């Protein structure tokens, strides 16, 4: 039997959605099939996203590249979770009628445009996404207990 499948989306797939993907995978020990994609993916993950996950959770995203929504077309998901308002409008329909959720989370990369603001913004974003994932866990994997 196929497990629960979750897709996280944001515009650039360089910060919010890869953070959510990594945290859900971490929290479920890989027992939930999770991926992320963006409508206009960047060339690489944001360095502050990579650094914050490594420092706070020991999660290594080295080698991970942003991907376009087209790369997951045709796949079946139980949940499609948009993390920004722009991508919410363009996420394609997926077969099987997945449950759609929207978490409007500010882009931490825009905070980084001012001197020294980037890393704290990413720490706040990671904490917010992790809190939302902890609330989602009982729905996705009822046997999971957040630590």
């Amino acid at each position: 039997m196929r497990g629960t499948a979750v897709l996280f989306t944001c515009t650039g797939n360089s910060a919010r959605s890869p953070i959510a993907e990594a945290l859900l995978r971490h929290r479920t020990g890989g027992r939930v099939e999770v991926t992320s994609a963006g409508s206009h993916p960047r060339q690489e993950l944001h360095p502050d996203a990579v650094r914050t996950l490594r420092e706070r959770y020991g999660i290594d995203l080295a080698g991970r590249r942003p991907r376009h929504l087209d790369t997951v077309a045709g796949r079946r998901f139980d949940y499609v979770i948009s993390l920004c308002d722009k991508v919410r409008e363009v996420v394609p329909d997926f077969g099987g009628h997945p449950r759609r959720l929207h978490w409007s989370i500010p882009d931490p990369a825009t905070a980084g445009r001012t001197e020294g603001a980037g890393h704290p913004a990413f720490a706040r974003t990671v904490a917010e996404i992790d809190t939302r994932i902890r609330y989602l866990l009982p729905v996705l994997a009822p046997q999971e207990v957040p630590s």
Side-chain angles (χ1 to χ4, degrees):
M1 183 174 166
R2 184 178 81 68
T4 302
V6 177
L7 171 65
F8 289 104
T9 64
C10 70
T11 305
N13 192 228
S14 64
R16 293 165 288 185
S17 56
I19 287 169
E21 175 187 2
L23 287 172
L24 181 57
R25 185 173 289 116
H26 176 75
R27 293 270 174 224
T28 61
R31 289 182 291 277
V32 170
E33 181 186 329
V34 58
T35 193
S36 66
S39 57
H40 294 88
R42 304 262 190 246
Q43 293 297 312
E44 59 187 28
L45 294 185
H46 195 288
D48 284 334
V50 174
R51 181 173 75 171
T52 304
L53 284 174
R54 185 176 51 242
E55 288 174 358
R56 300 213 171 205
Y57 297 93
I59 297 171
D60 184 11
L61 294 181
R64 164 73 168 76
R65 309 290 302 175
R67 67 179 69 88
H68 195 279
L69 279 167
D70 290 347
T71 66
V72 296
R75 287 182 52 188
R76 189 177 166 284
F77 295 99
D78 300 293
Y79 291 85
V80 175
I81 303 172
S82 55
L83 301 174
C84 73
D85 298 333
K86 288 180 183 177
V87 81
R88 179 184 191 187
E89 303 301 320
V90 299
V91 171
D93 288 326
F94 290 94
H97 306 288
R99 178 150 185 225
R100 288 179 173 254
L101 302 175
H102 180 62
W103 299 347
S104 185
I105 297 177
D107 185 357
T110 60
R113 293 183 184 144
T114 58
E115 187 71 27
H119 192 64
F122 278 85
R124 285 189 302 275
T125 298
V126 167
E128 180 175 351
I129 291 171
D130 194 35
T131 296
R132 290 175 185 245
I133 284 173
R134 285 171 178 253
Y135 282 112
L136 188 63
L137 278 177
V139 175
L140 297 179
Q143 72 278 7
E144 298 295 324
V145 177
S147 56

